[in-house]
Amino acid sequence: MMLSFTAPGPLGTAAEVLPYLLDGAVVTVKVALGATPVALALAFIAGLAGCSGSRWARGVSRGYLEFFRGTAVIVQMYWIFYAMPALTGYRLDPVFAGVIAVGLNLGAYGSEVVRGAIAAVPVPQREAGIALNFGPVQRMVRIILPQAWVAMLPPLNNLWIELLKATSLVSVISVADVIAESRTLRNTGYSPLVVMTLVLLIYLLLALIITLIMRMLERRAAHRVGREPPPLLPRRRRRRPPVPVRGEVA
Amino acid sequence: MDWDWDYALSIAPEMLTTGLKVTLQATFAGALVAFALGLVLALGLRAPWSGIRGPVRLIIEFVRSTPLVAQLFFVYYVFPSALGISMSALATGIVVLGVHYAAYTAEVYRSGIDSVPKGQWEAAVALNLSRPRTWTSVVLPQAVRRVLPMLGNYLIAIFKETPQLTLITVVDILGLGRQLGSENFRYLEPITIAGLFFLLVAIPASLVVRRLEHRLGT
């Protein structure tokens, strides 16, 4: 009833469509939060397997990485939701299928980050662990991972945003996320300009929240291994002038 | 329901020709835009004037933090009504893919430019080369060479993003697969063929990129 009296023009439209888009945004956040632990767990399992001594573990990790990096998320979603039921006989819940597809995909990318960060911990740290008679598990948990974690966080920040962006595809398997809501609103005749601008702003806001959370984690992780914590908000980056000498040479 | 070879073989040729035509066209055209525009953005990040650097950085952050689908919908549905610019679905897809990945390749070029040793700049000054000449004949050739493998990775990434163009009605290999699936009530074979197509192109391509990395010694 109240809605019919709202202001005309773009702002009125925005006020009308925003509640629907926010409903969709809640679903987007749910899918993203569901996929995050899946991706993180897979990234650590595959990442640790990737730097293990066993050729088998490395091979499986590599295969997982290449398979999921080699195909597109949207194709995987389609396959899990539409094609797999033909083989297994039952259809997954759309939200669950989306969580699994996004989680498997981003887990593959994450495993490279984990592997790289572990490999980048200086060898003397490992040797010091051996010298102090630490077992392999102790070395990994107490010495290597805390340091690797510091190096992992900035790339994981990017990956988490990629994960959020990948969830934008769940509408193709009929999940009512923010993209699906925007499509419905557009088809009901609301101005696409207003609807899509709001959608972009919602994603931007979610990405900013992710970056803030990751900054806080980075500060804590750096603090724990005795390094200077990075600033919470990006400091104005001091840039070197583009050319050392300004090119004016007689 | 099991895998039906006859059906799979009957749709495979049509799907693969579409895949090769539309998907690769979108990939290469999108990559061309991304690589060119990315270089422009990278130079914008190194501009001597902060009035250019700031906005360029904002654009890059904005494009990188919003999903490609949202950008595709924005350009496909908003531009015709709001700006009077209407493009075919495929052209929209190419432009949006290009702009989206330009935000990524800009960072790649920037890292390449930053990795050119300072001595090279000094040598260019010592040789009395002009600013444009320094960029085109000293800095960029070295910078681009260093980042070629990374650009290759982004080419593969763009390739894998192209199936999202089906959402704005482009009929690529996935779009055709969806059509065939709904016509015949069998999704297993077409979607699997589409998936295999991506794997069969992306995995050898990433091996080539890795070899390139070794050859360039990065």
Side-chain angles (χ1 to χ4, degrees):
Chain A
M1 288 302 135
M2 289 291 289
L3 291 180
S4 52
F5 293 108
T6 47
L11 277 181
T13 316
E16 275 178 50
V17 298
L18 196 58
Y20 298 99
L21 289 179
L22 289 181
D23 283 350
V26 170
V27 177
T28 297
V29 169
K30 273 185 192 157
V31 176
L33 286 184
T36 304
V38 177
L40 211 53
L42 285 169
F44 269 91
I45 294 169
L48 288 171
C51 42
S52 89
S54 144
R55 189 182 279 267
W56 273 99
R58 282 205 309 271
V60 170
S61 154
R62 181 102 239 161
Y64 164 64
L65 174 74
E66 293 294 345
F67 183 82
F68 282 95
R69 277 207 316 198
T71 48
V73 194
I74 186 171
V75 179
Q76 289 160 16
M77 258 178 216
Y78 264 113
W79 201 87
I80 290 178
F81 192 65
Y82 289 110
M84 214 173 65
L87 288 178
T88 58
Y90 57 88
R91 175 168 282 194
L92 294 174
D93 173 63
V95 173
F96 186 65
V99 164
I100 294 293
V102 173
L104 279 170
N105 203 273
L106 270 295
Y109 285 93
S111 75
E112 269 294 270
V113 171
V114 172
R115 199 190 53 75
I118 290 175
V121 173
V123 181
Q125 295 285 337
R126 241 159 269 241
E127 293 166 352
I130 297 172
L132 292 171
N133 206 13
F134 279 32
V137 178
Q138 266 183 319
R139 276 207 301 277
M140 187 50 87
V141 175
R142 304 218 155 220
I143 301 177
I144 297 167
L145 276 183
Q147 297 181 57
W149 182 236
V150 179
M152 260 177 240
L153 282 171
L156 285 184
N157 182 2
N158 285 336
L159 275 187
W160 205 6
I161 293 176
E162 293 298 323
L163 184 145
L164 172 72
K165 286 162 63 182
T167 63
S168 67
L169 297 172
V170 289
S171 64
V172 302
I173 53 171
S174 74
V175 177
D177 75 330
V178 70
I179 293 287
E181 290 289 342
S182 79
R183 191 181 293 141
T184 316
L185 289 167
R186 224 176 41 232
N187 291 340
T188 12
Y190 285 106
S191 144
L193 173 65
V194 175
V195 173
M196 288 321 295
T197 306
L198 285 174
V199 169
L200 288 175
L201 288 178
I202 288 173
Y203 275 110
L204 200 61
L205 186 71
L206 291 176
L208 277 177
I209 294 173
I210 286 180
T211 303
L212 262 181
I213 295 175
M214 290 305 280
R215 283 268 159 67
M216 285 195 256
L217 284 178
E218 274 168 46
R219 279 167 67 87
R220 243 190 51 188
H223 184 75
R224 274 183 49 197
V225 293
R227 294 185 200 162
E228 191 202 347
L232 194 56
L233 292 171
R235 211 181 282 144
R236 258 187 92 79
R237 215 187 291 174
R238 272 164 303 177
R239 288 197 168 274
R240 277 172 286 139
V243 185
V245 184
R246 283 278 162 121
E248 264 85 67
V249 175
Chain B
M1 202 151 65
D2 284 323
W3 179 265
D4 182 348
W5 276 108
D6 291 338
Y7 175 47
L9 289 178
S10 72
I11 57 171
E14 196 189 348
M15 285 190 70
L16 290 181
T17 40
T18 313
L20 286 175
K21 240 173 34 202
V22 180
T23 305
L24 290 187
Q25 194 187 349
T27 305
F28 283 111
L32 208 64
V33 176
F35 293 168
L37 187 62
L39 186 57
V40 174
L41 290 177
L43 292 177
L45 285 175
R46 297 290 305 243
W49 188 43
S50 66
I52 295 176
R53 285 200 307 266
V56 169
R57 169 127 309 275
L58 273 183
I59 292 171
I60 291 178
E61 287 302 327
F62 175 74
V63 171
R64 284 171 65 122
S65 10
T66 49
L68 183 71
V69 201
Q71 293 166 7
L72 281 171
F73 283 166
F74 193 89
V75 175
Y76 193 62
Y77 293 108
V78 176
F79 274 27
S81 59
L83 299 174
I85 304 171
S86 57
M87 293 180 281
S88 74
L90 183 60
T92 307
I94 288 169
V95 169
V96 175
L97 266 178
V99 172
H100 191 84
Y101 274 92
Y104 288 86
T105 52
E107 292 292 327
V108 169
Y109 285 121
R110 195 185 56 84
S111 73
I113 293 170
D114 283 350
S115 74
V116 173
K118 211 176 154 193
Q120 297 289 325
W121 291 95
E122 290 165 354
V125 174
L127 289 171
N128 204 12
L129 296 182
S130 66
R131 272 286 285 283
R133 191 73 202 282
T134 308
W135 277 103
T136 54
S137 346
V138 179
V139 178
L140 286 182
Q142 298 182 61
V144 173
R145 192 186 134 90
R146 266 165 231 249
V147 299
L148 270 182
M150 279 196 267
L151 290 181
N153 281 330
Y154 277 110
L155 182 67
I156 301 172
I158 292 172
F159 170 67
K160 283 180 309 181
E161 300 276 23
T162 54
Q164 294 187 27
L165 302 193
T166 52
L167 298 176
I168 54 165
T169 71
V170 175
V171 180
D172 71 334
I173 188 164
L174 181 67
L176 186 66
R178 273 165 72 185
Q179 269 178 24
L180 292 169
S182 65
E183 276 165 23
N184 302 303
F185 305 108
R186 285 192 71 96
Y187 280 100
L188 175 61
E189 291 84 358
I191 306 290
T192 308
I193 291 172
L196 284 177
F197 170 75
F198 283 98
L199 269 183
L200 287 181
V201 177
I203 290 183
S206 73
L207 289 178
V208 170
V209 169
R210 207 160 305 148
R211 176 156 296 180
L212 189 68
E213 247 165 49
H214 276 291
R215 276 204 35 196
L216 296 177
T218 45

